[in-house]
Amino acid sequence: MDGDNRKPQANIIAALTYLLGFVTGLIFLYLEPYNQDEFIRFHARQSIGFSVAWFAIAVVFGVFIAVLPHGLGALLNFILTLIDIALAVFWVVLMYKAYNGERYRIPELADIVDSIAGTPAA
């Protein structure tokens, strides 16, 4: 657990930051009083980073699927489907961990988000 002095609803709000990706991440990152809770801010920033990374993967694959010959495009589309399934499962795991009060940092992505935010979220 991340701290016993946290309000009981903080875990629920932290899990909700992942619900609609960067949209709910941005909402809870700037909405008072939630923006005062470092645990919620951590998960909101990570939610934004995770959804942006997921979107970037989809765009890159989409471009290659569009320009490559049909056979290779179909193979990449299948690979993208597998990646989407894996990311969707990971997304649920992130919500579960936030709900349980864990401050799980996605390796590499958390460091990138920290450097953009200017402060470590750990």
Side-chain angles (χ1 to χ4, degrees), residues 42 45-46 49 105-106 108-122:
F42 167 81
R45 287 192 302 260
Q46 186 159 268
R105 288 176 56 87
I106 301 171
E108 300 302 321
L109 181 62
D111 295 336
I112 293 168
V113 170
D114 288 349
S115 68
I116 291 170
T119 58

Side-chain angles (χ1 to χ4, degrees), residues 64-92:
F64 280 106
I65 290 168
V67 299
L68 287 176
H70 178 70
L72 288 175
L75 176 63
L76 278 183
N77 194 33
F78 175 72
I79 293 169
L80 179 60
T81 301
L82 294 178
I83 290 171
D84 282 341
I85 291 169
L87 288 172
V89 168
F90 191 55
W91 173 66
V92 171

Side-chain angles (χ1 to χ4, degrees), residues 6-14 33-34 40:
R6 192 175 333 114
K7 293 180 181 174
Q9 74 269 22
N11 291 3
I12 296 168
I13 300 299
Y34 308 114
I40 294 172

Side-chain angles (χ1 to χ4, degrees), residues 93-115:
V93 168
L94 288 171
M95 284 193 290
Y96 178 77
K97 287 184 174 291
Y99 180 77
N100 283 330
E102 289 184 51
R103 192 183 287 246
Y104 177 77
R105 288 176 56 87
I106 301 171
E108 300 302 321
L109 181 62
D111 295 336
I112 293 168
V113 170
D114 288 349
S115 68

Side-chain angles (χ1 to χ4, degrees), residues 1-50:
M1 291 294 217
D2 187 68
D4 296 320
N5 60 352
R6 192 175 333 114
K7 293 180 181 174
Q9 74 269 22
N11 291 3
I12 296 168
I13 300 299
L16 288 176
T17 63
Y18 293 98
L19 189 61
L20 298 176
F22 74 91
V23 173
T24 49
L26 283 172
I27 289 170
F28 288 113
L29 189 60
Y30 292 106
L31 185 67
E32 289 190 19
Y34 308 114
N35 64 351
Q36 305 301 316
D37 187 312
E38 184 53 39
F39 182 72
I40 294 172
R41 288 178 57 79
F42 167 81
H43 283 289
R45 287 192 302 260
Q46 186 159 268
S47 169
I48 294 165
F50 179 73

